Every structure is written in structure tokens, then in C-alpha cells.
Amino acid sequence: MAIGLKTKNALLSALVLTGVIGSAYEATQLWQIERFNTALKHNATLPLDQYPLTEKFAAAYRQGNSGEYKHAIQTYGQLLEMAPDNEMQARVHNNVGNNLLRFGLSRRVNDDGSLIEDARYALMQARASYEQALRLNPALLPARFNLDLLLSILPARMQQSE
């Protein structure tokens, strides 16, 4: 009887210790997530060694929002070289398409109303980027919506640039 009671106490003590260790681990994870979210809210620089993909993605996103479309596209290209999974690649291609679309729409048109060459090229590249995003993740609704939007604004007889 005494051996059975000691065994039960040891087992329960091990379970309690495991619970305390698990709780401490989860509390640490929540603290790190909160610190990360606070840094993002305040536009603070994140430690590159802890979150390299997220930092690169955030940097590209900020560049695109500030109108530096070419730099944002280059940063997204560097992000693709870091070999993220297919879901992340699809999101990156979608964001590349967004920046190309905004870049193409910000270009001026010729006197006859036709698109200038770099605007036409940017819009065709945006189309290719959206299509690549949908190849990687067919369920990515923002890419599908953006591709439909792009196709609705493209001139009917626009030829692809060589």
C-alpha cells in the first residue's frame, strides 16, 4: 500500500511539474508574440536573427506603401530567394503583382491615350505575378480578385511587350 501511494505521489508530482514547465513555456511564447506585435505597431525594427522572413516582408510592404515600388519588388524578390513555403510564395507573388499594378497605374499615358512602354510592361508583369500566385495557391482570394481587377482595366488590344 505504501509503495502504491509513493508511486501515485511521484506520478502526480511529475504531472504537476510538467504542467508548470508547459505553462512557463506558453507564457514565454505569449510574451514574445506581444513584444513582436508591439514592435510592428510602432514601426520598430525587428531583430533580424529572430524573424528574418517577417522582417523582409514588412520592409517590402513599407516600401510599397511609401511609393517605392521598384525597391519593394526587389525586396520581395530577395524574400523569394529565402525559399519560403508555397503559401508564403503565393502571398509574395500577390504583393509583387500589387506593386507592379500600382507602378503601372502611376505612369502617365501617351498623348493619344495609349500606355507608355514601362506602364504596359509593369501591367503585364503584374498579370504574370498574379497568375503565379494562383498557381501556387489557387484558393488565394486576393490574388484572384486583383487579377480580375487588372484584366478589367487592361486595354482590349494591348500587346505584350517584348
Side-chain angles (χ1 to χ4, degrees):
M1 179 100 175
I3 295 175
L5 191 57
K6 286 183 181 181
T7 306
K8 287 180 186 178
N9 284 341
L11 181 61
L12 289 176
S13 297
L15 287 175
V16 167
L17 183 62
T18 304
V20 168
I21 291 172
S23 296
Y25 174 76
E26 289 298 322
T28 304
Q29 291 294 319
L30 286 174
W31 176 75
Q32 287 178 348
I33 290 169
E34 184 62 33
R35 189 175 59 146
F36 180 79
N37 288 338
T38 303
L40 283 179
K41 285 179 188 175
H42 294 78
N43 266 342
T45 304
L46 302 172
L48 292 175
D49 56 337
Q50 288 183 331
Y51 308 103
L53 290 175
T54 307
E55 175 65 24
K56 188 69 77 172
F57 197 90
Y61 186 79
R62 282 192 299 268
Q63 289 169 342
N65 278 347
S66 65
E68 300 173 18
Y69 305 121
K70 289 185 178 185
H71 292 145
I73 293 166
Q74 289 174 338
T75 306
Y76 282 124
Q78 293 169 359
L79 184 61
L80 284 173
E81 292 173 2
M82 297 171 86
D85 60 353
N86 280 351
E87 175 67 26
M88 178 63 104
Q89 285 183 16
R91 290 185 184 280
V92 168
H93 280 289
N94 180 48
N95 285 346
V96 168
N98 291 344
N99 282 290
L100 286 165
L101 176 62
R102 290 169 67 189
F103 178 73
L105 293 176
S106 68
R107 301 291 103 196
R108 304 192 85 175
V109 294
N110 292 326
D111 292 334
D112 62 352
S114 63
L115 293 171
I116 59 173
E117 196 61 34
D118 58 336
R120 181 186 351 235
Y121 181 75
L123 293 176
M124 295 310 291
Q125 291 294 72
R127 178 180 179 178
S129 188
Y130 289 137
E131 289 171 350
Q132 179 64 23
L134 289 172
R135 269 188 232 105
L136 291 168
N137 182 5
L140 189 62
L141 293 178
R144 187 174 298 175
F145 175 81
N146 292 336
L147 180 60
D148 288 343
L149 179 67
L150 174 64
L151 293 175
S152 70
I153 63 171
L154 283 178
R157 294 173 287 152
M158 187 169 85
Q159 301 288 326
Q160 185 165 357
S161 299
E162 297 194 16

